[in-house]
């Protein structure tokens, strides 16, 4: 019985030290959106997130992420969200091992959006 508890404790400890970036920094980033003119709708993956000026959470992902600004009477503008390496992920490389890095990669937490604000200049049609 003591051996089972010991293995259970070791497993719990191992799991709790993995995926540090996911646990410590989450899987989403708050990004501010502005546009000229104001009042443009911001879409991410076809879903309306907010109307400028605004701030909303965008899920992290290792794949290319874009948002689209749209306002009636103006041409829509697609903007690529830029990402940087999330330094908290280094803890997984040193301590957590492959499982932690795998979890962070699956949740997109290996990267974070930077800058945290996006501006679009819309052009009339």
């Amino acid at each position: 019985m003591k051996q089972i508890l010991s293995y259970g404790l070791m497993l719990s400890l191992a799991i709790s030290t993995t995926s540090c970036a996911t646990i410590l920094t989450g899987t989403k980033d708050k990004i501010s959106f502005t546009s000229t003119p104001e009042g443009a709708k911001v879409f991410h993956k076809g879903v309306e997130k907010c109307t400028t000026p605004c701030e909303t959470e965008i899920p992290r992902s290792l794949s290319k992420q874009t948002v689209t600004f749209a306002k009636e009477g103006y041409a829509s503008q697609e903007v690529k969200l830029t990402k940087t390496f999330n330094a908290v992920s280094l803890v997984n490389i040193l301590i957590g091992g492959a499982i932690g890095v795998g979890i962070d990669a699956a949740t997109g937490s290996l990267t974070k959006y930077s800058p945290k604000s996006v501006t679009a200049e819309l052009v009339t049609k």
Side-chain angles (χ1 to χ4, degrees):
M1 181 68 170
K2 285 183 181 181
Q3 189 174 20
I4 292 173
L5 288 175
S6 295
Y7 287 135
L9 181 62
M10 287 179 10
L11 179 62
S12 296
L13 182 62
I15 290 173
S16 69
T17 60
T18 61
S19 64
C20 286
T22 301
I23 293 168
L24 296 177
T25 63
T27 59
K28 299 177 184 177
D29 283 321
K30 273 193 178 180
I31 303 176
S32 298
F33 296 97
T34 56
S35 66
T36 304
E38 292 182 347
K41 293 181 179 182
V42 179
F43 294 88
H44 178 250
K45 295 186 175 183
V47 176
E48 183 180 335
K49 300 300 272 184
C50 61
T51 302
T52 63
C54 60
E55 182 178 81
T56 189
E57 288 186 333
I58 303 293
R60 292 183 189 153
S61 174
L62 293 180
S63 64
K64 174 184 161 187
Q65 296 295 306
T66 60
V67 293
T68 302
F69 290 80
K71 182 173 175 134
E72 192 170 320
Y74 294 85
S76 295
Q77 183 177 353
E78 187 174 272
V79 177
K80 180 182 176 186
L81 299 177
T82 56
K83 297 178 276 189
T84 58
F85 180 72
N86 189 355
V88 177
S89 297
L90 290 174
V91 175
N92 274 337
I93 295 169
L94 299 173
I95 298 172
I99 294 172
V101 173
I103 292 170
D104 284 346
T107 62
S109 292
L110 286 177
T111 61
K112 60 184 177 180
Y113 295 113
S114 180
K116 299 273 195 244
S117 63
V118 178
T119 301
E121 300 271 337
L122 300 179
V123 179
T124 56
K125 286 185 181 179

